Amino acid sequence: MNRYSHLAGVLLAVVAVVGLTFALNNDYYLRILFMMGVYYLCAAGMNVLVGYAGQKSLGQAGLFAAGAYAVALLTTRTEMSPWIALALAAVISGVFGVLIALPSLRVKGPYLAMVTLAFGIVVEKLVSEWTEVFGGAQGVYGIRPLSWGENPLSTQQWVWFTVALCAVTHLLLRNLVGGRFGRALLSLQADEIASSSVGVRVYRAKVIAFVVAAVTCGIAGALVAQQNQYINSDFITFHLSIFILLLVLFGGAGSQYGPLVGTVILVVIDVSLARWPAAQHFLYGFLLLFALYAMPGGVMGLLNAVFARFRKKPELPSGVEPRAYRPASADATGDLLVVDNVSKAFGGVKPAQDVSFRLQRGHVHALIGPNGAGKSTMINMVTGVLDPSAGTICFLGQNLAGQPAHAICQLGMGRTFQNLRLFAELSVLDNVKLGHHTRMRNGFFASLLALPAARREEARTTERALQLLALVDLLPLAHAPAGSLPYGLQRRVELARALATEPQLLLLDEPAAGLNPQETAELGQLLLKIARCGISILMVEHHMDLVMSISDHVIVLDYGIKIAEGKPGEIQNNPRVIQAYLGVEDGAEPTPAPAGA
């Protein structure tokens, strides 16, 4: 569905709900529609946090309270316009979102859920016990409601306003998650190390997700306070946090329509069981467990599975030219990477000991050695995944000490991994587009508003990704889930993703692992084609035929120590390399390997 037809569909839905308010000439039913809108706002933001970024939060009641009490205090203690107070409540909630995002850098999974739960409990206790400010159980009265002209909004007008706000929220979040930032958030959920290796600023993306969830939840709390003209601690309970999480999980986390489906179904159930609170709590617990274990994709997951067979596959453009990126400095000369006396120790284990080498621009370099020689450790130190214990690593004349992986990627260094780190649930095309993340220039607000600049960047990224998929002969599989491909093809996807970062130096950690001889030979030809584009390559590899046929320069490690380096022919005939890498029989002298072996 293109953006214009989707917009027409949203407008039609808004008109339908507005028409329904005229048919329901009853404040009770209008109140139910209003609360559906409020809960949808909470769920839509929570879906970005849980469904896309994969960050579990149980503190949404605290964010709801932040918006509700902010608007309550601003309108009862100042002469501020209720409309301005509503906007400030959203900002204040966003600040709280940043505060609870801070621990997400250090804790993950259930530990993060516990931290957010603690935040919700602290807020609940704060508004209950600090009666001088928040009124405790008595609450805050006299909150000024939104008004049109000089008249407060009627119940019907509250529904209109909330529905319009929900429609705008849906369109904005659809813009956000449907492009650069949505892919970045999904990559966090899959693999944070791989995400940072393609240039995603992991912590920044997490903070964005927390802030989005906080702002929408804060606005929802402010609307409830202003519509009721009253708020107290009874509104802020752990039950509310569970209910908001359930809206997302039951409807379908990660689906743009999941929060809406979950909200409509669960609010109707909530209203139906209002007379039996114990039954409500039991049912919420049951549905939460059911959604987690029996229906992980939620209602929308089931519907998508049913209608998938009837959905047309997206068409691929014809005449895509296979093309690799050519760095601006492809014709420059001199050292590209300088590793000087680098060591790494894990307690008593030292996988790198005073290793030094230099990589020349435009060359294919190989880093070889027996298992446990420290090759992957060296690649991880160069790319910022690990920090060296001693020594310096300079890339393009810049010291990489303390640089995070995403910053090193942005400098012009792409990589693949020894063990595949694809974003398996994403399509092949989206995996490669993620590689181009750091080269896209559209910021958060340009993406949120779908400005022309953001749409142009998305189109440019799609074009580049398709060219790279054509280069690695994967264009027909562009829309297939990356995890569904055979192992050898997944290796190519990872290579295309690394090329999408537009590197000057491409680091490949055992790219031929698991490939058959024909696939290995094809990989060698592809790497030579990439090198001819001016991209320098450092390859960790055990396939000696591949190493010797395409490398310009070979570096040999043994137990973390560099024992030799030079041209392939020199390395083949180096007795120390033969002894360390190939081994010799006891009492036998190593003999040089014949040239070309």
Side-chain angles (χ1 to χ4, degrees):
M1 185 184 296
N2 64 46
R3 60 193 303 265
Y4 295 109
S5 58
H6 181 79
L7 178 60
V10 171
L11 291 176
L12 185 62
V14 170
V15 170
V17 175
V18 170
L20 185 62
T21 62
F22 287 102
L24 298 174
N25 189 19
N26 182 304
D27 275 1
Y28 175 73
Y29 294 117
L30 291 176
R31 172 74 180 178
I32 292 174
L33 288 178
F34 170 73
M35 290 308 299
M36 280 186 179
V38 166
Y39 285 131
Y40 172 77
L41 289 173
C42 295
M46 187 70 163
N47 188 41
V48 174
L49 181 62
V50 175
Y52 284 84
Q55 306 298 301
K56 302 299 185 287
S57 174
L58 292 173
Q60 299 309 103
L63 299 170
F64 187 94
Y69 279 94
V71 81
L73 297 177
L74 288 172
T75 58
T76 57
R77 303 193 180 189
T78 71
E79 297 299 318
M80 182 180 295
S81 163
W83 293 96
I84 296 176
L86 176 61
L88 286 178
V91 173
I92 292 169
S93 300
V95 172
F96 275 94
V98 173
L99 292 178
I100 65 170
L102 292 177
S104 70
L105 184 63
R106 296 183 177 274
V107 295
K108 300 175 184 177
Y111 300 103
L112 177 60
M114 292 173 65
V115 170
T116 57
L117 172 60
F119 167 78
I121 292 174
V122 168
V123 172
E124 181 182 351
K125 291 297 181 182
L126 188 67
V127 298
S128 300
E129 305 296 335
W130 197 357
T131 55
E132 294 83 358
V133 176
F134 302 108
Q138 184 178 355
V140 180
Y141 290 87
I143 301 170
R144 280 183 288 138
L146 300 179
S147 58
W148 187 258
E150 296 188 2
N151 299 316
L153 297 185
S154 65
T155 306
Q156 188 181 54
Q157 290 170 330
W158 272 106
V159 175
W160 295 349
F161 175 67
T162 305
V163 169
L165 201 56
C166 289
V168 170
T169 300
H170 169 75
L171 292 172
L172 291 178
L173 294 184
R174 184 175 186 266
N175 293 338
L176 185 68
V177 301
R180 180 190 184 207
F181 284 92
R183 288 191 297 271
L185 293 175
L186 287 170
S187 73
L188 299 185
Q189 188 171 172
D191 190 326
E192 290 186 12
I193 293 177
S195 182
S196 62
S197 78
V198 296
V200 174
R201 298 173 63 180
V202 170
Y203 187 50
R204 178 173 177 263
K206 287 182 181 180
V207 171
I208 287 174
F210 271 102
V211 169
V212 168
V215 167
T216 57
C217 209
I219 291 174
L223 290 176
V224 169
Q226 289 184 305
Q227 201 270 342
N228 287 331
Q229 301 180 45
Y230 165 73
I231 191 75
N232 76 345
S233 58
D234 291 342
F235 288 82
I236 317 303
T237 62
F238 176 62
H239 168 264
L240 177 61
S241 292
I242 292 294
F243 187 69
I244 293 171
L245 180 61
L246 181 59
L247 295 174
V248 176
L249 297 180
F250 186 76
S255 167
Q256 294 179 15
Y257 299 101
L260 177 61
V261 172
T263 297
V264 172
I265 294 175
L266 291 177
V267 168
V268 170
I269 293 175
D270 185 67
V271 170
S272 303
L273 298 178
R275 295 182 180 180
W276 302 282
Q280 275 184 327
H281 296 166
F282 172 80
L283 184 62
Y284 294 155
F286 171 77
L287 289 177
L288 185 58
L289 292 174
F290 183 77
L292 287 172
Y293 293 102
M295 197 171 59
V299 175
M300 287 304 300
L302 293 179
L303 294 177
N304 287 333
V306 170
F307 291 108
R309 67 188 69 178
F310 305 107
R311 193 176 296 120
K312 291 184 179 180
K313 293 183 178 180
E315 294 183 3
L316 292 168
S318 57
V320 176
E321 177 189 358
R323 187 162 65 89
Y325 165 77
R326 182 174 177 83
S329 60
D331 299 323
T333 58
D335 294 332
L336 180 65
L337 180 78
V338 178
V339 175
D340 187 21
N341 293 320
V342 166
S343 298
K344 181 65 179 178
F346 298 101
V349 179
K350 297 180 179 180
Q353 302 178 50
D354 295 321
V355 177
S356 298
F357 58 83
R358 295 169 180 264
L359 303 187
Q360 301 293 312
R361 297 176 188 269
H363 287 189
V364 176
H365 304 265
L367 184 62
I368 67 172
N371 289 329
K375 305 180 298 297
S376 293
T377 299
M378 181 57 64
I379 294 289
N380 286 334
M381 287 191 289
V382 169
T383 55
V385 175
L386 295 174
D387 293 323
S389 304
T392 59
I393 302 173
C394 292
F395 178 62
L396 297 172
Q398 183 171 338
N399 192 341
L400 300 185
Q403 293 269 26
H406 71 261
I408 293 174
C409 173
Q410 193 165 15
L411 287 174
M413 196 183 295
R415 71 163 296 177
T416 64
F417 292 87
Q418 181 179 8
N419 299 314
L420 276 171
R421 286 183 178 270
L422 285 180
F423 309 118
E425 299 298 323
L426 299 185
S427 70
V428 170
L429 180 61
D430 280 340
N431 266 270
V432 180
K433 288 169 74 172
L434 259 164
H436 205 246
H437 176 88
T438 191
R439 305 302 172 193
M440 298 180 73
R441 295 292 172 258
N442 51 308
F444 175 80
F445 289 105
S447 301
L448 185 69
L449 301 173
L451 298 180
R455 297 201 298 273
R456 286 195 298 270
E457 283 292 302
E458 189 68 21
R460 184 174 69 90
T461 297
T462 301
E463 181 184 7
R464 287 289 297 117
L466 291 172
Q467 290 173 346
L468 289 169
L469 287 176
L471 178 71
V472 298
D473 294 325
L474 289 178
L475 189 58
L477 299 172
H479 296 295
S484 69
L485 270 57
Y487 184 83
L489 297 186
Q490 290 188 40
R491 281 285 180 189
R492 292 192 186 187
V493 176
E494 193 176 37
L495 176 59
R497 187 182 69 187
L499 288 172
T501 64
E502 300 186 354
Q504 296 193 49
L505 175 62
L506 180 63
L507 298 101
L508 307 175
D509 198 349
E510 298 193 24
L515 304 186
N516 61 42
Q518 181 181 347
E519 291 172 330
T520 301
E522 292 172 353
L523 174 65
Q525 294 304 310
L526 178 59
L527 295 182
L528 287 175
K529 188 185 300 185
I530 292 168
R532 284 195 291 269
C533 293
I535 299 174
S536 304
I537 295 175
L538 174 61
M539 172 177 60
V540 171
E541 189 50 70
H542 286 294
H543 285 70
M544 287 300 101
D545 289 343
L546 176 63
V547 169
M548 297 304 168
S549 64
I550 71 170
S551 300
D552 300 303
H553 180 252
V554 181
I555 304 160
V556 188
L557 297 181
D558 186 30
Y559 292 106
I561 300 171
K562 187 184 77 173
I563 60 172
E565 67 174 313
K567 295 181 179 180
E570 297 171 354
I571 296 301
Q572 282 181 307
N573 293 282
N574 187 307
R576 191 175 179 189
V577 173
I578 295 172
Q579 184 176 13
Y581 194 78
L582 301 177
V584 295
E585 295 181 6
D586 292 340
E589 292 294 327
T591 56

